[in-house]
Every structure is written in C-alpha cells, then in structure tokens.
Amino acid sequence: MLKKSITGVLVAGALSASSLVAAQDTDTEESGFGTMFQGWQGTASLGATSSSGNSEASNINGAIRLSKTVNRWEHLVFGSVFKGTSSIVINQTDAQGETVLGDDGLPQRIVVKGDNSDRIALGYQPKFYYNEKTYFFGLLDWETDEPSNIDSATRQVVGVGHRFFADESGFLTAEIGFGNKNTDLVVGDDVNGGIGYLGVNYLNHITEEVTFNADLRTDFGSDNTFVELGLGVSFKISDKLAFKVAHFSRSNSDLSDGADPLVGDSESVTSMNLVFDI
C-alpha cells in the first residue's frame, strides 16, 4: 500500500509539474504573473521505507531547495519533512513493573503504536553579494517535531558568508552570524535567547555521475547548543534524476523530556532518496 501511494504521488507530481510549466509558458506573455516563478532552480527529494514482522515501522521523508539570483541578490528557499511511525508488541506490566499474566499463565501482550518522528521545517535565506566571493545574509527558519519535544522553534540570524571556491568540481562556503532563537517545548521550560551561528557547505563532483556533499549548521547560546550535520552521496541516473544515500544527525542540548527516556539530546537518520532537478 505504501509503495502504491508513493508511486501515485510521484506520478501526480510529474503530471502537475508538466501542466504548471505549460500553463506558465502560455500565461507569461499575457501577464506579468508568470514572471515571478521564472529563474528558480533547485532540487526536490523523496524517500520512504517500510518494515513488517515482529514489529512494524514506516517513514517517509522529503525535501526541497530552490534558489533564484537577481543581480547581486540570491534568494534561497528550503523545506523538509520527516514522518515516521512504529508499532511493537510488548508484555503488559502492572504499577510495580511486573508482567501481567492471563488465566492461562501466559504473559498478556499489547500493541503499542506511535510516532517516532514528525518533523517539518521551513526556511528562507536572502544573500547580498558584496563582491564575487563575500556576501551578507539573513536567515529565517521554523521547525516542529513533537516526538523530539519541540513544539515550535524559530530562528532569526544575520551574518556574513564567504565562498572559498566554486567551479565545475564543486564549492565550499562558510557563514558566521548572530541572532535570536525561540524554542517552545512540548514538556519543560521554553528556551529563548541570543545565539551565535556557524554554517559550512561543501560539495564535490567526484565523477560526472557521483557527487558528495557535507553540510554543517550550528547555533550556540547560553541555554542551548544545536548542531546539525548532513552527509550524502548521490549517483546520477539521468539528466534530471539521481539516487542519493544520505545520513543526517543532530544534537540539541537541554531539550530532553524527563518523563520520556527515549527523548534525548541527539538523533540520526540514514535514508535513500530519489532526487529530482527542478
């Protein structure tokens, strides 16, 4: 069922994209509305897994990253979603932690279902290039992930970035800035205050078909330190399609839910995705 649903989403998305392009080509000459969508380019990714047996688990993840350059300005819009559920069978226990037995003397078993991740993140980053390699930037982003004890987190940052190199082999950029972060927790006291920010982005075209990328983002304040690391290797299938193996890990201090022993300061996800060029 999950595979059929994903196939339907991909087919519907492809048909919708084709219809949108056709409509834009027709309407642009008649009005200026279509021009606001021109010039955007980027990638979209989609992946899913499912397992069954003694336990059941499934997850779906997707991301989109679009950019547009106008004179010295570059506009970057990005978003991601990761939703995962799991079901396991456990022995029922009483208030003292002892296994509950049935009339037949066997342990009573129950099915426990729940979300192991429910993350949605959105962001916008404008950049103004002072020269060919150095730029000033702003960063606005938002995310929610209740299973990780984050009801809502927003961040506002300004800073400066530098592009050390950018050519056919890839690129390397680094950013540093400062700003404010507000984190509303599902359980516990909210974490708010000023932060410092550091970001590094690296991409290398190992061959014409294989690309490696590494992204690091961190912010640090007196009450919270956040580190996010993404690693990926993509294999080109066609001009517009690639297969990517990615590993994503993050550490978010002081956000643990003491009532839930599974909610900790760090988590990681390894996924396999299809990546579409837009």
Side-chain angles (χ1 to χ4, degrees):
M1 183 63 71
L2 180 60
K3 292 181 179 179
K4 293 181 178 178
S5 299
I6 295 171
T7 303
V9 170
L10 295 176
V11 173
L15 294 175
S16 299
S18 300
S19 301
L20 178 60
V21 171
Q24 288 180 353
D25 291 342
T26 303
D27 296 341
T28 299
E29 296 181 358
E30 299 178 358
S31 69
F33 181 77
T35 59
M36 67 181 295
F37 297 103
Q38 294 179 347
W40 290 94
Q41 60 182 356
T43 60
S45 64
L46 179 65
T49 61
S50 178
S51 64
S52 60
N54 295 326
S55 63
E56 295 181 356
S58 63
N59 69 68
I60 183 169
N61 66 89
I64 188 167
R65 185 181 180 92
L66 299 174
S67 65
K68 180 177 182 178
T69 301
V70 181
N71 298 324
R72 290 190 174 189
W73 285 94
E74 180 183 2
H75 302 275
L76 178 64
V77 179
F78 51 91
S80 62
V81 58
F82 187 90
K83 290 184 173 291
T85 61
S86 61
S87 301
I88 59 174
V89 179
I90 64 172
N91 291 337
Q92 187 176 359
T93 58
D94 56 24
Q96 287 72 40
E98 300 293 333
T99 301
V100 177
L101 302 179
D103 295 336
D104 55 3
L106 297 177
Q108 295 294 294
R109 312 194 76 187
I110 58 175
V111 177
V112 178
K113 299 181 179 180
D115 295 331
N116 52 44
S117 184
D118 192 14
R119 181 185 305 123
I120 301 175
L122 300 170
Y124 168 60
Q125 183 180 31
K127 302 178 181 179
F128 177 78
Y129 280 84
Y130 175 75
N131 56 41
E132 185 178 353
K133 292 187 175 182
T134 303
Y135 58 88
F136 301 101
F137 72 90
L139 176 63
L140 302 172
D141 60 12
W142 166 89
E143 76 163 308
T144 180
D145 187 1
E146 291 191 5
S148 295
N149 202 33
I150 300 175
D151 181 57
S152 176
T154 59
R155 183 171 54 179
Q156 310 88 36
V157 176
V158 293
V160 61
H162 185 76
R163 184 168 55 188
F164 292 93
F165 74 88
D167 52 35
E168 294 182 355
S169 66
F171 62 82
L172 172 64
T173 62
E175 300 172 342
I176 188 169
F178 65 94
N180 181 71
K181 186 175 183 179
N182 301 94
T183 305
D184 298 333
L185 302 183
V186 177
V187 177
D189 297 330
D190 297 342
V191 180
N192 305 313
I195 58 170
Y197 171 82
L198 175 66
V200 179
N201 297 283
Y202 173 72
L203 184 141
N204 181 26
H205 296 292
I206 300 174
T207 67
E208 292 185 358
E209 291 78 24
V210 181
T211 301
F212 170 78
N213 73 278
D215 304 307
L216 171 68
R217 292 191 297 273
T218 179
D219 58 59
F220 42 90
S222 59
D223 296 326
N224 175 246
T225 299
F226 169 74
V227 180
E228 184 176 77
L229 174 66
L231 302 172
V233 178
S234 60
F235 305 86
K236 191 174 182 181
I237 300 175
S238 67
D239 290 340
K240 296 290 185 179
L241 183 64
F243 174 76
K244 184 173 184 178
V245 180
H247 179 76
F248 171 86
S249 62
R250 62 186 334 192
S251 174
N252 216 343
S253 67
D254 303 319
L255 301 186
S256 299
D257 176 5
D260 187 347
L262 294 180
V263 177
D265 292 341
S266 62
E267 60 180 326
S268 62
V269 176
T270 301
S271 63
M272 293 176 286
N273 306 317
L274 288 177
V275 181
F276 309 87
D277 286 341
I278 300 176

XYZ file of all heavy atoms in Angstrom, residues 80-83 116-122 141-154 182-186 250 252 267:
263
model
N 11.761 20.757 4.560
C 11.933 19.310 4.688
C 10.838 18.751 5.586
O 10.272 19.462 6.419
C 13.316 18.960 5.265
O 13.473 19.496 6.566
N 10.562 17.476 5.402
C 9.571 16.792 6.224
C 10.057 15.367 6.464
O 10.638 14.737 5.569
C 8.187 16.780 5.536
C 8.250 16.118 4.176
C 7.143 16.093 6.412
N 9.890 14.893 7.692
C 10.228 13.510 8.027
C 9.167 13.001 8.990
O 9.037 13.509 10.102
C 11.610 13.408 8.661
C 12.063 11.993 8.879
C 12.778 11.323 7.907
C 11.758 11.319 10.046
C 13.180 10.009 8.095
C 12.149 10.010 10.240
C 12.863 9.355 9.264
N 8.411 12.015 8.548
C 7.360 11.443 9.372
C 7.594 9.941 9.494
O 7.763 9.237 8.495
C 5.984 11.719 8.765
C 5.563 13.176 8.843
C 4.154 13.383 8.310
C 3.682 14.805 8.544
N 3.447 15.094 9.968
N 7.550 8.096 15.812
C 8.929 8.238 16.262
C 9.589 9.484 15.688
O 10.681 9.861 16.090
C 9.763 6.989 15.931
C 9.643 6.592 14.474
O 9.694 7.418 13.579
N 9.484 5.293 14.235
N 8.918 10.131 14.732
C 9.376 11.420 14.233
C 8.217 12.084 13.505
O 7.405 11.418 12.860
C 10.571 11.263 13.285
O 11.057 12.533 12.899
N 8.140 13.396 13.634
C 7.086 14.155 12.956
C 7.612 15.562 12.683
O 7.029 16.550 13.098
C 5.823 14.197 13.824
C 4.616 14.716 13.066
O 4.689 14.785 11.825
O 3.617 15.065 13.710
N 8.752 15.630 11.991
C 9.443 16.900 11.799
C 9.022 17.586 10.507
O 8.980 16.972 9.434
C 10.951 16.702 11.781
C 11.751 17.998 11.599
C 13.239 17.755 11.474
N 13.733 17.001 12.612
C 14.363 15.856 12.501
N 14.558 15.306 11.330
N 14.782 15.221 13.581
N 8.739 18.869 10.609
C 8.504 19.731 9.458
C 9.369 20.972 9.657
O 9.372 21.571 10.738
C 7.030 20.135 9.322
C 6.143 18.890 9.178
C 6.827 21.061 8.124
C 4.664 19.202 9.157
N 10.109 21.372 8.632
C 10.993 22.535 8.728
C 10.886 23.364 7.461
O 10.795 22.824 6.345
C 12.438 22.101 8.946
N 10.886 24.694 7.622
C 10.825 25.634 6.512
C 11.836 26.749 6.764
O 12.088 27.112 7.920
C 9.427 26.235 6.366
C 8.264 25.271 6.096
C 6.933 26.002 6.215
C 8.408 24.641 4.713
N 14.034 30.716 9.845
C 13.549 29.342 9.705
C 12.651 28.956 10.881
O 12.628 29.619 11.926
C 14.697 28.346 9.511
C 15.687 28.323 10.668
O 15.390 28.894 11.734
O 16.767 27.717 10.510
N 11.900 27.879 10.653
C 10.926 27.380 11.628
C 10.880 25.868 11.511
O 11.036 25.300 10.420
C 9.549 27.967 11.336
C 8.424 27.274 12.058
C 7.929 27.564 13.287
C 7.643 26.170 11.567
N 6.904 26.715 13.604
C 6.697 25.850 12.574
C 7.650 25.421 10.390
C 5.777 24.816 12.423
C 6.736 24.383 10.238
C 5.807 24.104 11.255
N 10.669 25.202 12.651
C 10.503 23.753 12.630
C 9.642 23.293 13.796
O 9.482 24.001 14.803
C 11.851 23.036 12.671
C 12.509 23.018 14.037
C 13.607 21.971 14.135
O 13.349 20.798 13.799
O 14.726 22.333 14.552
N 9.080 22.120 13.650
C 8.339 21.463 14.716
C 8.620 19.976 14.659
O 8.797 19.403 13.579
C 6.822 21.724 14.586
O 6.131 21.060 15.655
C 6.276 21.212 13.265
N 8.710 19.346 15.824
C 8.948 17.901 15.911
C 8.563 17.460 17.318
O 9.416 17.352 18.201
C 10.398 17.563 15.598
C 10.630 16.057 15.508
O 9.654 15.299 15.677
O 11.781 15.644 15.274
N 7.296 17.204 17.529
C 6.805 16.888 18.879
C 7.427 15.636 19.479
O 7.696 15.615 20.687
C 5.277 16.796 18.862
C 4.608 18.145 18.629
C 3.115 18.102 18.876
O 2.628 17.035 19.317
O 2.444 19.121 18.633
N 7.668 14.546 18.714
C 8.335 13.394 19.332
C 9.720 13.714 19.882
O 10.215 13.007 20.761
C 8.405 12.384 18.178
C 7.244 12.733 17.305
C 7.181 14.228 17.359
N 10.358 14.771 19.376
C 11.651 15.209 19.909
C 11.490 16.320 20.925
O 12.471 16.995 21.277
C 12.556 15.695 18.761
O 12.883 14.642 17.891
N 10.249 16.550 21.390
C 9.937 17.520 22.430
C 10.005 18.971 21.939
O 10.114 19.891 22.739
C 10.849 17.350 23.645
C 10.231 17.937 24.914
O 9.022 17.921 25.083
N 11.073 18.476 25.785
N 9.954 19.188 20.619
C 9.968 20.540 20.063
C 8.585 20.855 19.504
O 8.187 20.316 18.468
C 11.018 20.681 18.949
C 12.414 20.386 19.496
C 10.978 22.088 18.357
C 13.493 20.385 18.430
N 7.859 21.713 20.210
C 6.562 22.146 19.707
C 6.741 23.143 18.576
O 6.068 23.069 17.546
C 5.742 22.767 20.836
C 4.366 23.207 20.379
O 3.623 22.351 19.857
O 4.043 24.411 20.534
N 7.664 24.083 18.742
C 7.950 25.073 17.712
C 9.301 25.713 18.002
O 9.608 26.040 19.151
C 6.858 26.145 17.672
O 7.173 27.161 16.739
N 10.105 25.880 16.956
C 11.401 26.553 17.098
C 11.579 27.504 15.928
O 11.403 27.121 14.766
C 12.543 25.547 17.145
N 11.912 28.760 16.221
C 12.163 29.761 15.190
C 13.527 30.390 15.420
O 13.988 30.504 16.551
C 11.089 30.861 15.197
O 11.062 31.494 16.486
C 9.717 30.266 14.906
N 13.977 31.117 19.463
C 12.892 30.826 20.398
C 12.462 29.385 20.215
O 12.075 28.989 19.112
C 11.701 31.755 20.166
C 12.064 33.215 20.315
O 12.374 33.889 19.335
N 12.028 33.724 21.533
N 12.540 28.592 21.279
C 12.158 27.182 21.225
C 11.097 26.913 22.281
O 11.350 27.036 23.479
C 13.369 26.271 21.477
O 14.409 26.581 20.552
C 12.976 24.806 21.310
N 9.887 26.562 21.818
C 8.791 26.189 22.703
C 8.755 24.669 22.803
O 8.614 23.972 21.793
C 7.460 26.705 22.163
C 7.426 28.230 22.067
O 8.145 28.876 22.841
O 6.689 28.755 21.205
N 8.880 24.140 24.008
C 8.942 22.703 24.219
C 7.556 22.128 24.501
O 6.689 22.804 25.050
C 9.875 22.382 25.385
C 11.317 22.882 25.262
C 12.130 22.411 26.454
C 11.946 22.421 23.957
N 7.379 20.856 24.134
C 6.141 20.151 24.464
C 6.060 19.966 25.971
O 5.016 20.191 26.594
C 6.092 18.794 23.739
C 4.829 18.027 24.132
C 6.142 18.989 22.227
N 21.757 15.146 14.363
C 21.616 16.436 15.047
C 21.713 16.240 16.548
O 21.364 15.184 17.083
C 20.281 17.093 14.677
C 19.088 16.298 15.094
C 17.760 16.875 14.603
N 17.808 18.301 14.369
C 16.705 19.029 14.163
N 15.530 18.466 14.192
N 16.796 20.307 13.947
N 20.784 18.515 20.107
C 20.074 19.687 20.612
C 20.067 19.588 22.131
O 19.247 18.876 22.712
C 18.655 19.705 20.054
C 18.167 21.106 19.766
O 18.729 22.088 20.240
N 17.112 21.205 18.977
N 19.964 12.594 17.740
C 19.286 11.605 16.913
C 19.955 11.588 15.548
O 20.648 12.533 15.162
C 17.795 11.932 16.765
C 17.508 13.280 16.127
C 16.023 13.548 16.007
O 15.268 12.585 15.798
O 15.635 14.718 16.113
